[in-house]
Amino acid sequence: MPLLEVRDVAVRFGGIVALDGVSFDVEPGSIVGLIGPNGAGKTTLFNCVSRLYACDRGDIVFDGGSLLALPRHRIAGAGIGRTFQNVALFRSMTVLDNVMLGAHSRSRSGFVSNALRLPRVPREERATRARARGILQMLELESLADKAVATLPFGTCKRVELARALAAEPKLLLLDEPASGLNHEEVSELSGLIRRLRERLRLTVLLVEHHMGLVMSISDRVVALNFGRVIARGTPPEVQRHPDVIEAYLGAA
């Protein structure tokens, strides 16, 4: 059974059709690339999966259940982690604290237990801190744990945001343009990192990216969008050769 099923999803903003009957599956353990020109609807689809946007039609099924029945604050706890096009970190906080925040959805202590400082609260905080440090070590960020995010370069902040997404222990990781703003060497490192994370953490990855070299080198399957519709799906070579994809990027001959 697919881990994620996008079924006939449509989204309109007034008279603008952002998504028009989009359907595709994401198999467990796979890396699926979602490509298309600017305005194709890629980030809109991500926002539907993470429940930031509501669908006007269709359904999104994750791990056997409809996501549309879940409030958006339950999405991380359901097993979906996400990064954003524009880094969304707390800049005045340290790297470690930002990553620890990502584990909030896994916390069992509530407002009352924290207010009363019940014994399980410090135990849970120690466990969260240890897990966050382990993730930072995995991403080679441990030396920056106590640094304020505001002092870090953009490429490093992208990796911190990835660490925060992993802290929620997701089954499905949504990466929204992770190579944006990175140089050639950083993109190469990112490619290897995504593969390693998939294997080590048994992740399923849905990737939106304009860097075609990255997408085609790591994706098991690729879905191409244009004007809110799926124009091609298949293996990277199949999608690269598809005439509708070539036209969408290069124009009609």
Side-chain angles (χ1 to χ4, degrees):
M1 183 176 67
L3 181 65
L4 180 72
E5 301 171 67
V6 179
R7 300 176 176 172
D8 193 33
V9 169
V11 175
R12 290 177 177 268
F13 300 110
I16 298 174
V17 179
L19 296 173
D20 187 7
V22 172
S23 297
F24 64 89
D25 295 339
V26 177
E27 299 297 326
S30 65
I31 298 176
V32 175
L34 190 61
I35 66 170
N38 288 328
K42 304 181 297 297
T43 296
T44 298
L45 181 62
F46 261 34
N47 287 339
C48 289
V49 174
S50 51
R51 297 288 288 120
L52 296 178
Y53 292 167
C55 303
D56 294 316
R57 187 182 77 233
D59 196 6
I60 300 174
V61 178
F62 174 70
D63 206 14
S66 175
L67 287 179
L68 305 190
L70 286 180
R72 63 187 61 168
H73 66 276
R74 298 294 185 192
I75 293 299
I80 298 177
R82 178 183 176 174
T83 66
F84 293 83
Q85 281 184 26
N86 300 313
V87 174
L89 296 170
F90 294 94
R91 292 176 55 80
S92 63
M93 295 172 61
T94 66
V95 168
L96 179 61
D97 286 341
N98 268 278
V99 176
M100 288 179 66
L101 280 173
H104 175 72
S105 63
R106 297 299 173 190
S107 174
R108 296 183 179 180
S109 57
F111 175 79
V112 174
S113 55
N114 276 274
L116 297 176
R117 204 63 182 170
L118 297 181
R120 69 180 180 185
V121 172
R123 287 199 303 269
E124 188 174 76
E125 185 173 333
R126 286 193 297 271
T128 299
R129 187 177 299 274
R131 171 163 175 76
R133 287 193 177 278
I135 293 170
L136 291 178
Q137 184 176 19
M138 192 190 315
L139 300 186
E140 300 180 352
L141 294 168
E142 66 272 25
S143 63
L144 304 175
D146 298 320
K147 296 282 189 182
V149 166
T151 66
L152 302 177
F154 182 75
T156 304
C157 288
K158 298 279 279 189
R159 191 166 289 213
V160 173
E161 189 179 44
L162 173 58
R164 184 180 63 184
L166 294 175
E169 303 179 34
K171 295 179 182 178
L172 174 65
L173 182 62
L174 307 178
L175 299 178
D176 195 351
E177 298 194 22
S180 174
L182 303 185
N183 60 39
H184 180 74
E185 182 178 348
E186 290 170 331
V187 170
S188 179
E189 292 174 357
L190 176 65
S191 175
L193 175 62
I194 293 173
R195 288 197 191 97
R196 291 195 302 274
L197 291 175
R198 188 258 296 265
E199 298 302 323
R200 182 169 179 176
L201 302 179
R202 298 182 180 179
L203 288 172
T204 302
V205 180
L206 180 58
L207 168 74
V208 164
E209 186 52 69
H210 285 290
H211 194 293
M212 288 298 102
L214 173 65
V215 174
M216 298 302 172
S217 68
I218 68 172
S219 297
D220 301 303
R221 307 283 292 177
V222 176
V223 178
L225 298 180
N226 196 25
F227 295 113
R229 295 183 176 181
V230 175
I231 58 172
R233 60 169 69 86
T235 64
E238 289 171 345
V239 172
Q240 280 182 304
R241 295 192 299 265
H242 198 286
D244 290 342
V245 174
I246 295 171
E247 181 178 340
Y249 277 96
L250 302 178

